[in-house]
């Protein structure tokens, strides 16, 4: 059986931790920052764990991560 192909778009957006959690970086942090509060911008800096309902879907897209 041939190797599975990794979805390159998903591979650039998600990282899998050592324990198997899928991390992603938050959106809306690149431009139009003047109207956003400091608190909101600070929270956008941190990466977050993906929701449990989407985890299996993303894991299929990045099988070797």
């Amino acid at each position: 059986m041939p190797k599975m192909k990794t979805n390159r778009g998903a591979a650039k957006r998600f990282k899998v931790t050592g324990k198997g959690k899928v991390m992603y970086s938050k959106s809306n942090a690149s431009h139009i920052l003047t109207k956003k509060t400091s608190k909101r911008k600070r929270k956008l800096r941190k990466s977050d764990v993906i929701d449990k309902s989407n985890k299996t879907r993303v894991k299929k897209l990045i099988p070797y991560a």
Side-chain angles (χ1 to χ4, degrees):
M1 189 161 166
K3 287 194 240 177
M4 288 175 70
K5 280 198 172 183
T6 298
N7 182 298
R8 298 313 295 160
K12 290 166 193 173
R13 285 170 174 83
F14 304 106
K15 298 279 175 268
V16 180
T17 64
K19 296 227 176 190
K21 293 177 186 173
V22 182
M23 303 293 287
Y24 73 100
S25 57
K26 293 172 184 164
S27 59
N28 301 315
S30 58
H31 63 102
I32 315 173
L33 298 169
T34 49
K35 63 175 84 169
K36 292 168 190 163
T37 62
S38 302
K39 181 182 178 181
R40 185 173 164 194
K41 288 186 277 192
R42 192 164 55 246
K43 285 187 181 282
L44 289 172
R45 273 186 232 144
K46 297 173 182 161
S47 55
D48 205 2
V49 180
I50 204 162
D51 192 55
K52 192 175 77 173
S53 59
N54 293 319
K55 187 180 172 184
T56 50
R57 240 186 245 163
V58 173
K59 285 264 197 169
K60 280 181 184 172
L61 295 172
I62 44 174
Y64 302 107

